Amino acid sequence: MNRTDGLVRRVKARDTESNGGSSSSAANNVDQEDNKVDKEDEMEDCDSKETRLTLMEEVLLLGLKDKEGYTSFWNDCISSGLRGCILIELGLRGRIELERAGMRRKGLCTRKIILKSDTPTGDVLLDEALKHIKETCPPETIQSWIEYLSGETWNPLKIRYQLKNVRERLAKNLVEKGVLTTEKQNFLLFDMTTHPLTDNVIKCRLVKKIQDAVLTKWVNDPQRIGKRMLALILLAHASDVLENAFAPLNDDDYELAMRRVRELLDLDFEAESAKSNANEVIWAVFAAFTK
């Protein structure tokens, strides 16, 4: 399979920032990370002019009912899944990283998140999470941050870290991008704000992109799958919305797609994170959802 089939080889940027580096050098590194993510997104989407969505927005869009404009009342996974998306976005944008494994080779789930840069991302949810991570001492693990940001922690001192109304805030972002609209629906005892789909092209493109990734553009090496696409597939699965992308497939393609997703879930995340072009934050989030 060649490059024109939509596959992009990733090259890990050289980390030029040292402990004694200047703030301008750190800012340059962040700019490089942002530019690299932008270029990767454009290459994966094959159309830089189309509406750009974050991982959180893509996962929410997959979970929203097109006409009703809300997620399933029975889905209790999407809340934590969206928080995992937030952490991966911060990792992809060079804002956070994992502490070093050390001589004893700490596992992904026991290594703490370290602030790499506090430069604002321009996204309110990402910057709010980044602010919490910056203020926390000592650092915490990926699993802990998913619990803190979703409000599922038993520690009352950490409740203040909860990101509230995440789905509604993401839906409003999608309204601003022209993907959704806003309506009021009456549910007997209460009124609820809903966000039905207005731009079916965007969602169809998203669904087809996921289907192609596990069917026509599939490769057995996960390191050759775009980081963002790999994260989208596994976080959509963790959020219990991936089924919505595969529902239109015929039986044979559906079985093949689900088998390949299971192959990704069965990977040795520790081994994958140790490879040269890997982003450790991504694999740590995967590990947190599958342990």
Side-chain angles (χ1 to χ4, degrees):
M1 190 169 289
N2 57 37
R3 192 181 183 87
T4 60
D5 289 326
L7 298 176
V8 181
R9 246 181 220 284
R10 309 297 184 179
V11 180
K12 186 175 181 181
R14 181 177 299 173
D15 185 7
T16 59
E17 182 180 359
S18 64
N19 291 334
S22 66
S23 59
S24 61
S25 176
N28 289 337
N29 287 340
V30 170
D31 289 340
Q32 291 173 5
E33 289 285 350
D34 286 342
N35 291 336
K36 183 175 71 171
V37 169
D38 289 343
K39 290 178 181 177
E40 289 175 352
D41 287 348
E42 290 180 8
M43 294 177 74
E44 285 182 356
D45 292 339
C46 301
D47 183 3
S48 60
K49 294 182 180 179
E50 71 182 51
T51 302
R52 294 276 299 281
L53 306 180
T54 64
L55 276 176
M56 303 89 74
E57 292 166 350
E58 289 179 323
V59 169
L60 179 67
L61 188 57
L62 287 174
L64 283 174
K65 300 175 184 291
D66 293 356
K67 295 181 180 179
E68 293 85 348
Y70 52 83
T71 57
S72 171
F73 294 127
W74 309 110
N75 188 340
D76 57 358
C77 301
I78 194 169
S79 178
S80 57
L82 290 173
R83 273 64 175 188
C85 289
I86 289 172
L87 294 174
I88 286 180
E89 279 281 2
L90 290 174
L92 287 173
R93 299 185 187 209
R95 289 350 187 243
I96 60 174
E97 61 186 352
L98 293 188
E99 66 176 342
R100 296 187 181 280
M103 295 295 291
R104 296 187 179 183
R105 300 297 303 173
K106 291 182 180 179
L108 287 171
C109 292
T110 60
R111 292 164 65 186
K112 308 296 179 64
I113 290 181
I114 302 297
L115 184 71
K116 188 175 181 182
S117 169
D118 61 357
T119 303
T121 65
D123 182 283
V124 176
L125 278 173
L126 294 180
D127 290 341
E128 188 176 336
L130 190 63
K131 180 175 179 288
H132 290 326
I133 293 172
K134 178 182 178 181
E135 294 174 349
T136 300
C137 186
E140 299 280 3
T141 64
I142 288 280
Q143 180 66 55
S144 295
W145 273 114
I146 292 173
E147 293 173 359
Y148 296 162
L149 297 176
S150 61
E152 296 177 357
T153 177
W154 290 96
N155 188 340
L157 299 178
K158 305 295 185 180
I159 290 296
R160 63 190 179 92
Y161 291 144
Q162 181 182 4
L163 297 179
K164 298 181 180 179
N165 303 317
V166 167
R167 271 174 273 189
E168 179 63 21
R169 292 159 74 180
L170 290 173
K172 287 182 178 178
N173 288 348
L174 290 170
V175 170
E176 292 177 359
K177 293 179 179 181
V179 182
L180 306 177
T181 188
T182 301
E183 294 181 358
K184 288 281 188 180
Q185 287 196 29
N186 181 269
F187 289 87
L188 296 179
L189 299 177
F190 61 93
D191 290 332
M192 186 174 80
T193 301
T194 62
H195 300 282
L197 186 70
T198 57
D199 190 340
N200 191 52
V201 173
I202 296 294
K203 186 164 185 177
C204 287
R205 185 183 292 140
L206 173 63
V207 168
K208 186 177 187 304
K209 183 171 68 171
I210 295 173
Q211 292 174 353
D212 288 347
V214 294
L215 293 173
T216 60
K217 297 180 181 179
W218 174 255
V219 288
N220 288 322
D221 181 5
Q223 298 295 334
R224 293 179 60 201
I225 301 174
K227 292 182 177 66
R228 187 169 291 274
M229 174 52 66
L230 183 64
L232 175 59
I233 293 171
L234 294 188
L235 266 295
H237 179 274
S239 302
D240 199 20
V241 299
L242 187 60
E243 175 78 16
N244 297 340
F246 293 161
L249 296 173
N250 62 50
D251 290 345
D252 290 341
D253 284 345
Y254 178 87
E255 289 298 326
L256 179 59
M258 290 305 298
R259 185 168 72 247
R260 287 171 172 172
V261 171
R262 286 192 292 271
E263 289 177 16
L264 294 177
L265 293 170
D266 290 339
L267 288 170
D268 184 339
F269 297 150
E270 296 284 350
E272 295 297 329
S273 70
K275 294 181 179 179
S276 60
N277 62 338
N279 184 303
E280 292 181 321
V281 172
I282 295 178
W283 294 103
V285 172
F286 296 165
F289 279 107
T290 56
K291 71 173 186 178

